[in-house]
């Protein structure tokens, strides 16, 4: 009768244990690698004190600001504005209503071809906070589809008409892949006080700083007359104009109580 060799049995047990240890170490190594190289999950918080906020301005060390134009009526000055922006190599952001897009499709294409941001200003320029969630969604999507058909662009920036919003408006915008945008510097150009008033209101504004968003209107009476001086004055102060899509953080951010967007990285 064959008798098992004790040395052979010990060797087999050693080999089995060694294999188990190797497999275990390999699994641990793979887990460490997975954790190390796993993409970070984007963190976005727009709620402050239980209230949802849009982006008014951006916290940044870079001397960058954005100038924006709400386009809801008229196009008489649009080409002049585009010419001035091009002359000074400034890229801006245009927030357009559905009615404006329908009335001036060629201007929409010109704005896009000039390299400016295309922004959503709702379909009918209504007070968004007074609408149901479904109505808010339709106000966003109708103009979105019109602009995409004209330019192929999926807009990501939304400015509520009249700056009117509530929690529902902000959440609806986010649900439709939009960053809600307000402003920190109001030109008050819509009051028609004249070009000098616009220049002073913007360039001497106490809220003007790195990350500011300036509000203008392409259809206001004196905006085109003030624009060049506004640009050269602010460039002279060391500011660089960038479109809002380049100014804001796309993820990993939170808001402070003033609506300033702050990076978490």
């Amino acid at each position: 009768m064959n008798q098992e060799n004790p040395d052979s049995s010990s060797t087999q047990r050693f080999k089995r244990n060694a294999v188990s240890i190797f497999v275990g170490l390999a699994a641990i190594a793979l887990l460490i690698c997975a954790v190390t190289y796993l993409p970070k999950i984007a963190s976005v918080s727009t709620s402050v004190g239980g209230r949802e906020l849009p982006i008014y301005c951006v916290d940044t060390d870079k001397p960058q600001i954005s100038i924006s134009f709400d386009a809801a009526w008229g196009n008489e000055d649009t080409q002049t504005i585009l010419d001035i922006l091009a002359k000074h190599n400034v890229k801006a952001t245009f927030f357009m209503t559905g009615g404006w897009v329908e009335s001036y499709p060629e201007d929409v294409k010109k704005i896009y071809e000039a390299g400016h941001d295309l922004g959503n200003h709702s379909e009918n320029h209504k007070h968004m906070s007074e609408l149901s969630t479904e109505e808010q969604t339709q106000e966003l999507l109708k103009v979105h589809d019109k602009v995409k058909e004209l330019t192929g662009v999926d807009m990501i920036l939304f400015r509520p008409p009249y700056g009117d919003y509530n929690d529902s408006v902000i959440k609806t915008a986010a649900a439709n892949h939009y960053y809600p945008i307000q402003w920190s510097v109001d030109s008050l150009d819509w009051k028609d006080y004249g070009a000098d008033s616009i220049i002073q209101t913007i360039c001497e504004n106490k809220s003007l700083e790195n990350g500011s968003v300036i509000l203008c209107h392409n259809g206001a009476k004196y905006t085109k007359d003030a624009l060049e001086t506004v640009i050269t004055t602010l460039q002279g102060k060391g500011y660089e104009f960038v479109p809002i899509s380049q100014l804001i953080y796309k993820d990993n951010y939170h808001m402070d109580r003033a609506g300033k967007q702050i990076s978490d990285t």
Side-chain angles (χ1 to χ4, degrees):
M1 183 173 63
N2 292 332
Q3 187 174 13
E4 183 179 359
N5 187 333
D7 291 338
S8 175
S9 178
S10 297
T11 300
Q12 290 176 0
R13 284 198 300 271
F14 174 78
K15 289 181 178 179
R16 286 197 297 270
N17 290 338
V19 170
S20 297
I21 292 171
F22 176 79
V23 171
L25 290 174
I28 292 172
L30 287 172
L31 180 61
I32 292 173
C33 288
V35 171
T36 301
Y37 294 102
L38 190 67
K40 292 183 178 179
I41 297 174
S43 171
V44 173
S45 176
T46 57
S47 179
V48 179
R51 184 186 181 200
E52 297 292 327
L53 291 179
I55 299 169
Y56 283 78
C57 57
V58 177
D59 180 53
T60 177
D61 292 331
K62 298 177 182 178
Q64 295 180 333
I65 57 177
S66 293
I67 188 166
S68 60
F69 300 88
D70 287 1
W73 69 89
N75 79 324
E76 294 80 6
D77 298 332
T78 303
Q79 186 59 57
T80 301
I81 289 172
L82 289 174
D83 290 342
I84 294 171
L85 293 172
K87 177 181 177 181
H88 296 280
N89 195 30
V90 169
K91 302 303 181 186
T93 303
F94 288 78
F95 290 96
M96 306 167 294
T97 64
W100 197 86
V101 171
E102 277 192 10
S103 297
Y104 311 110
E106 294 307 312
D107 283 349
V108 177
K109 293 177 183 178
K110 287 179 182 178
I111 292 169
Y112 167 65
E113 290 167 358
H116 303 293
D117 276 348
L118 303 179
N120 192 324
H121 199 37
S122 83
E123 176 67 15
N124 296 298
H125 208 266
K126 295 181 177 180
H127 287 276
M128 295 286 286
S129 67
E130 299 176 0
L131 305 179
S132 68
T133 300
E134 177 59 30
E135 290 171 330
Q136 291 169 359
T137 300
Q138 289 305 309
E139 283 291 312
L140 284 167
L141 296 185
K142 285 182 179 179
V143 61
H144 183 103
D145 291 343
K146 290 176 182 178
V147 170
K148 184 169 184 178
E149 184 177 351
L150 281 171
T151 66
V153 172
D154 281 308
M155 297 184 292
I156 62 169
L157 305 173
F158 168 63
R159 173 170 287 159
Y162 313 105
D164 173 54
Y165 68 91
N166 56 13
D167 287 358
S168 176
V169 173
I170 303 305
K171 290 179 179 179
T172 300
N176 287 280
H177 311 293
Y178 273 97
Y179 296 92
I181 307 294
Q182 290 285 80
W183 59 86
S184 57
V185 176
D186 189 348
S187 68
L188 300 178
D189 57 353
W190 54 274
K191 290 190 174 184
D192 294 342
Y193 288 157
D196 289 341
S197 175
I198 295 171
I199 294 166
Q200 182 177 2
T201 300
I202 295 175
C203 297
E204 299 179 16
N205 199 293
K206 293 181 179 180
S207 296
L208 183 66
E209 60 180 350
N210 294 352
S212 288
V213 176
I214 301 169
L215 168 66
C216 296
H217 298 79
N218 76 308
K221 186 175 181 180
Y222 298 105
T223 301
K224 70 179 188 306
D225 301 321
L227 182 57
E228 186 158 23
T229 300
V230 167
I231 290 172
T232 56
T233 299
L234 296 184
Q235 287 178 334
K237 291 184 176 184
Y239 289 113
E240 175 192 5
F241 287 93
V242 297
I244 292 174
S245 64
Q246 293 182 25
L247 184 70
I248 65 173
Y249 304 111
K250 302 301 196 307
D251 51 35
N252 297 312
Y253 68 84
H254 68 277
M255 311 294 296
D256 72 6
R257 292 184 178 276
K260 178 176 285 188
Q261 188 192 40
I262 301 172
S263 174
D264 291 330
T265 58

